[in-house]
Amino acid sequence: AVVGCLDPTLMDALSKESLAKIHDFNPQNLANIAWSFARLSISNEELMQAIATEAIPRMIECISQNLTNIAWSCATCCFRNTPLLAAIAERAIKIIGDSSPQDLSNTAWSFATLLYLHAPFLEALAGAALSTLLDWDTQNLANTSWALAPLDFLHQPLFHAIAAPAMQNIE
């Protein structure tokens, strides 16, 4: 996907081979195959469903980047699998202290893109963001702010904390 190879024959073969071996994939493999297809704008419902089926019972093995890449892939491919998104959110809450600002903001963006509201995840994200705001770059702050809006999730302390530096730049 990084080189932008979009050979339909190759991608069909990769999909078939992935489906045949998906039970042997670890969480990183699942995230990578989902990301690769999404990065190439290839929506493959059968493959995404198989990834969801394999990933849900293995969430305990997922690190933050796996969660983010799977969530981003779902959003990019318009694949809204509520059990998968719920499992991602629950696992993300458990490992939120080990998550980077980029992982958290991209997961929030993915949920917003799919209009999937998981309030406990968003509360945990807001808490993590408030405690580490100085580590968040402009892109992560913007993605998070944008993500909370379509979900109608108003977290005043976080919005004020994000807005304060922006307001100083305007003045």
Side-chain angles (χ1 to χ4, degrees):
V2 173
V3 289
C5 177
L6 190 54
D7 179 322
T9 305
L10 174 63
M11 297 312 293
D12 186 53
L14 181 58
S15 174
K16 287 178 181 167
E17 193 67 20
S18 295
L19 287 167
K21 295 182 178 181
I22 203 156
H23 301 299
D24 298 328
F25 285 10
N26 64 35
Q28 182 70 49
N29 301 142
L30 294 170
N32 286 350
I33 197 72
W35 179 88
S36 296
F37 274 75
R39 177 70 174 82
L40 293 170
S41 301
I42 299 172
S43 291
N44 185 318
E45 180 84 17
E46 182 183 14
L47 182 59
M48 290 302 291
Q49 187 57 54
I51 290 168
T53 299
E54 289 298 317
I56 291 170
R58 301 179 71 187
M59 278 295 148
I60 191 77
E61 301 171 45
C62 288
I63 62 171
S64 184
Q65 187 176 13
N66 302 149
L67 302 175
T68 299
N69 288 349
I70 293 171
W72 179 86
S73 300
C74 289
T76 301
C77 293
C78 300
F79 179 73
R80 192 176 196 279
N81 181 300
T82 303
L84 176 60
L85 298 174
I88 289 170
E90 292 300 321
R91 177 67 178 152
I93 291 168
K94 289 182 174 131
I95 62 171
I96 206 153
D98 297 327
S99 301
S100 72
Q102 182 177 2
D103 287 345
L104 294 173
S105 67
N106 287 351
T107 301
W109 175 90
S110 300
F111 286 0
T113 298
L114 293 167
L115 295 176
Y116 176 71
L117 174 63
H118 192 284
F121 167 73
L122 295 177
E123 286 289 345
L125 168 102
L130 283 169
S131 68
T132 61
L133 203 59
L134 295 177
D135 298 330
W136 289 55
D137 66 22
T138 305
Q139 185 68 53
N140 296 330
L141 294 171
N143 284 353
T144 301
S145 298
W146 178 89
L148 300 179
L151 297 175
D152 290 328
F153 186 82
L154 183 60
H155 192 280
Q156 290 289 349
L158 179 58
F159 279 122
H160 288 300
I162 290 171
M167 294 304 293
Q168 288 176 352
N169 288 337
I170 292 171
E171 298 169 353

